[in-house]
Amino acid sequence: SGAPGTWSQLLFGAASDASVLDHVAVRYAGSFGAAAIDLDFANIQIQASSVRFCAADGISLRSNSFPTISGCDITNCSLALTNVPIHAISGFSNNTASANTSNYVRITTATLSANLVIPATAALNATGVYVMANTITVPAGLVFTVPSGVIVKFVGNSSVSILGTLSAQGQAAAPVVFTSISDDVHGGDTNQNGASSGGAGSWGQLYFGPLSDASTLNHVRVRYAGSFGAAAFDFDSANANITNSAAEFCAGPGMNLRSVSLPTVANCAFTNCTHAAIAVPIHALSGLAQNTASGNPSGNHIQVTTGTVVSNLTLPVAASLNATGVFVLTTSLTISNGVTLTINAGVTIKFPGTNGVTVNGTLLCQGTASAPIAFTTYADDAFGGDTNQNGPSTGTPGSWGQLYFGQNSDASVVGYTHVRFAGSFGIPAL
């Protein structure tokens, strides 16, 4: 019956684009590690053909090869379909793979040079699984479209860098998934190493740059991201729209909003991430609604990292995680002159350090008897529950600063508001 590696390969060079393989069987190739069908700057057609029992890879697309491969089967080889430039995916359809060391499309060059759609049907066995051995980069002005059912698995510290537009439109029953190659929950045992679930920080992140505002994500799951402490969703002066999505089992924050990022984030879940669920500048809270968090050891709350209010702003309970009304400020809260900050009933602001509130404009605390507002320490469980997840605690007097009202704050109204455990360094609470 022959032996794998008995002979070498079919090699197609740069001038071979007119070549056609139709109903061709390539068997027992791969001597000295050669791919059975090896394309080097070649855009040939391969259809209704098979590659079987080879000692090395089935089909390899070296350099910039963009063949048409349809209705083909790759069996009992090493890597089924490898060294794929991301744009070559548009030429794949209805291909299958089985009993190989890997039965997936392995993408090694992933910088977009034109708009691209990456459909689930172009993956081997129509599983929707693609393995990325490099960072996906979407340059400014280009659109990367990921339809429902597509599963992108990463090897190493690769990421998705969105400098243009990402349109990832999943469905509840068929989400778009970005995860580790070790994650068997989505797409099965891709690396064929037996049951595994991935490890936090196995790959990088989804990074959104300053020109990515048109990006929209719906029913997208980001799992096991956060290498080197990176946030799963990382916004850098970016205002994308994310709904019905999730960050799960990540080594960094679930979401980090850097610089002047004001995205819309609604009905999203942040689960089992090592750092804070969400870290945001205070103005970004206006775009957050009905999001949840659980199992995050550093807290299931929103961490406000920049607290200077420079335009009118309202803090509603709905902007907090799990609708607890809790916001944790790792910085001072400063209301600028001529600006109004309105805090709705039921909101609790907690300080983990000695920072406080400085009112140079107008502070409107609209608490009620049944839903008061609270300014208190991170350790105070009486309002907002055990935010720091350290077990029952009540806080210590002087744990944080004060509410300071300056000479331009006369329009401020503080009603049904509790100020607790303030007075660091002996300063008055009010």
Side-chain angles (χ1 to χ4, degrees), residues 1-7 27-29 52-55 76:
S1 61
T6 303
W7 63 287
R27 295 161 62 87
Y28 300 108
R52 295 178 180 170
F53 308 112
C54 297
N76 291 110

Side-chain angles (χ1 to χ4, degrees), residues 309-310 334-340 359-362 407-409:
V309 183
V310 295
T334 302
I335 304 170
S336 302
N337 187 15
V339 172
T340 299
V359 185
N360 295 318
T362 301
Q407 57 186 333
N408 295 313
S409 65

Side-chain angles (χ1 to χ4, degrees), residues 39-135:
L39 309 182
D40 186 8
F41 284 99
N43 304 337
I44 71 171
Q45 295 184 46
I46 309 173
Q47 58 197 35
S49 297
S50 64
V51 180
R52 295 178 180 170
F53 308 112
C54 297
D57 300 334
I59 302 177
S60 177
L61 280 60
R62 291 191 286 133
S63 307
N64 288 321
S65 295
F66 303 102
T68 299
I69 304 176
S70 62
C72 294
D73 177 67
I74 306 168
T75 306
N76 291 110
C77 299
S78 183
L79 301 178
L81 189 48
T82 188
N83 295 322
V84 176
I86 195 166
H87 280 283
I89 290 171
S90 60
F92 301 167
S93 62
N94 301 315
N95 300 298
T96 59
S98 62
N100 302 287
T101 303
S102 64
N103 299 311
Y104 53 75
V105 175
R106 188 173 189 270
I107 297 172
T108 54
T109 305
T111 297
L112 269 64
S113 57
N115 294 342
L116 178 66
V117 179
I118 178 171
T121 53
L124 291 172
N125 305 318
T127 57
V129 175
Y130 301 92
V131 173
M132 294 290 170
N134 212 330
T135 292

Side-chain angles (χ1 to χ4, degrees), residues 195-212:
S196 61
S197 58
S202 297
W203 62 284
Q205 62 178 179
L206 265 64
Y207 168 83
F208 295 86
L211 299 176
S212 65

Side-chain angles (χ1 to χ4, degrees), residues 124-416:
L124 291 172
N125 305 318
T127 57
V129 175
Y130 301 92
V131 173
M132 294 290 170
N134 212 330
T135 292
I136 302 172
T137 302
V138 183
L142 297 183
V143 179
F144 181 41
T145 301
V146 186
S148 64
V150 169
I151 301 166
V152 180
K153 296 190 176 185
F154 293 87
V155 177
N157 297 317
S158 300
S159 296
V160 183
S161 181
I162 310 300
L163 307 174
T165 300
L166 171 64
S167 176
Q169 302 302 314
Q171 301 174 5
V176 171
V177 180
F178 297 93
T179 188
S180 165
I181 193 173
S182 299
D183 181 6
D184 298 349
V185 173
H186 295 274
D189 185 13
T190 304
N191 58 0
Q192 301 184 103
N193 67 340
S196 61
S197 58
S202 297
W203 62 284
Q205 62 178 179
L206 265 64
Y207 168 83
F208 295 86
L211 299 176
S212 65
D213 290 1
S215 296
T216 58
L217 285 71
N218 186 38
H219 289 293
V220 172
R221 304 184 76 172
V222 178
R223 295 164 56 86
Y224 301 106
S227 59
F228 304 107
F233 293 96
D234 190 12
F235 292 84
D236 185 6
S237 299
N239 305 337
N241 186 310
I242 303 180
T243 55
N244 305 308
S245 297
E248 304 165 315
F249 308 106
C250 298
M255 179 176 290
N256 184 36
L257 276 57
R258 295 188 282 133
S259 304
V260 189
S261 295
L262 303 172
T264 299
V265 182
N267 298 307
C268 294
F270 301 87
T271 307
N272 296 311
C273 296
T274 303
H275 294 283
I278 301 180
V280 302
I282 194 165
H283 278 280
L285 295 173
S286 61
L288 275 54
Q290 310 301 330
N291 299 298
T292 62
S294 62
N296 302 288
S298 294
N300 299 312
H301 56 264
I302 290 177
Q303 185 180 94
V304 179
T305 54
T306 304
T308 300
V309 183
V310 295
S311 60
N312 294 344
L313 178 66
T314 298
L315 292 189
V317 169
S320 66
L321 292 173
N322 305 320
T324 58
V326 174
F327 302 94
V328 174
L329 271 75
T330 60
T331 183
S332 293
L333 174 58
T334 302
I335 304 170
S336 302
N337 187 15
V339 172
T340 299
L341 173 63
T342 302
I343 301 179
N344 287 357
V347 168
T348 298
I349 294 177
K350 295 189 175 184
F351 294 91
T354 58
N355 295 309
V357 182
T358 298
V359 185
N360 295 318
T362 301
L363 173 63
L364 300 179
C365 291
Q366 300 178 336
T368 65
S370 60
I373 291 166
F375 294 89
T376 188
T377 177
Y378 191 43
D380 183 5
D381 298 349
F383 288 84
D386 185 13
T387 306
N388 60 359
Q389 302 184 111
N390 68 339
S393 61
T394 58
T396 303
S399 295
W400 64 283
Q402 63 176 178
L403 265 64
Y404 170 84
F405 293 86
Q407 57 186 333
N408 295 313
S409 65
D410 292 358
S412 297
V413 178
V414 179
Y416 290 102

